[in-house]
């Protein structure tokens, strides 16, 4: 089983892991190309640009995926993913962006307008869980706390960080 991942930023580098033993590898993809087996799209319009890049600062020292286009919510969806319960994880480095400097994970995506996403934003220093329905993204409450907007946490730019989501049934 493989996960679905996304980066919701203008510029982001990332590596992906889904279900521990299914690490996404981009080593056979040509530098500058769109990753094979992935669908580059967006929610809310724009022109996302997802390319394979070499980055020796990456934790794995392998090729990574870079998002450098402009889109409301750029998405990179694994085209054969179907994980009902499990986890997905990325290592990411938020490197630019004036509205968002962030990365995120998407799961249970039906299409580019219906999915869950958790987003870590270096400009806001927070991590927020959203549900997107019909192209409209709404923040979800944190268990045990009503209202508010995600969790305040340091998300330093230009530094490799990990983001993971575990999901089972209706628990995220």
């Amino acid at each position: 089983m493989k996960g679905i991942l996304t980066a919701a930023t203008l510029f982001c580098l990332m590596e992906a892991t889904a279900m521990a033993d299914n690490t996404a590898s981009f080593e056979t993809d040509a530098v500058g190309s769109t990753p094979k087996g992935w669908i580059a799209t967006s929610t809310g319009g724009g022109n996302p640009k997802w390319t394979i890049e070499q980055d020796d600062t990456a934790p794995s020292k392998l090729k990574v995926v870079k998002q450098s286009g402009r889109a409301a919510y750029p998405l990179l969806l694994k085209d054969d993913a179907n994980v009902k319960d499990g986890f997905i994880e990325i290592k990411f480095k938020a490197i630019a962006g004036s509205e968002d400097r962030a990365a995120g994970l998407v799961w249970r995506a039906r299409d580019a307008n219906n999915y869950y996403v958790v987003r870590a934003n270096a400009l806001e220093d927070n991590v927020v869980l959203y549900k997107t329905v019909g192209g409209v993204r709404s923040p979800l409450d944190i268990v045990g706390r009503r209202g508010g907007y995600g969790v305040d946490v340091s998300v330093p730019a230009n530094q490799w960080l990990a983001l993971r989501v575990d999901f089972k049934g209706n628990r995220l």
Side-chain angles (χ1 to χ4, degrees):
M1 295 201 287
K2 295 185 180 169
I4 300 171
L5 85 117
T6 184
T9 180
L10 295 180
F11 298 97
C12 175
L13 300 173
M14 65 187 170
E15 302 180 324
T17 302
M19 303 297 294
D21 59 345
N22 288 309
T23 301
S25 173
F26 308 106
E27 288 309 292
T28 61
D29 295 339
V31 170
S33 69
T34 300
K36 290 182 216 143
W38 297 77
I39 300 163
T41 188
S42 68
T43 304
N47 188 25
K49 181 178 180 185
W50 296 91
T51 56
I52 301 297
E53 304 294 334
Q54 188 68 51
D55 183 346
D56 294 332
T57 72
S60 68
K61 308 293 186 215
L62 301 174
K63 292 178 185 174
V64 298
V65 175
K66 180 179 182 179
Q67 199 305 108
S68 59
R70 292 190 172 273
Y73 303 114
L75 299 173
L76 186 64
L77 303 175
K78 185 76 175 106
D79 63 4
D80 64 352
N82 186 15
V83 180
K84 181 178 177 185
D85 295 326
F87 76 89
I88 50 178
E89 179 177 11
I90 60 170
K91 303 235 182 347
F92 72 96
K93 179 168 64 169
I95 58 176
S98 58
E99 290 184 40
D100 276 336
R101 188 170 304 155
L105 293 167
V106 168
W107 69 102
R108 295 190 179 150
R110 284 191 279 148
D111 54 39
N113 292 309
N114 297 283
Y115 52 86
Y116 289 95
V117 60
V118 62
R119 189 256 308 132
N121 190 332
L123 293 179
E124 297 175 1
D125 272 336
N126 65 16
V127 175
V128 181
L129 175 65
Y130 299 95
K131 184 175 184 179
T132 305
V133 178
V136 177
R137 187 173 83 166
S138 303
L140 296 175
D141 288 334
I142 304 299
V143 173
R145 184 185 84 195
R146 296 198 64 85
Y149 184 69
V151 176
D152 293 334
V153 62
S154 178
V155 182
N158 299 309
Q159 193 175 123
W160 284 97
L161 304 167
L163 182 63
R164 175 179 166 139
V165 63
D166 292 80
F167 44 93
K168 183 173 183 176
N170 63 359
R171 301 290 293 184
L172 315 171

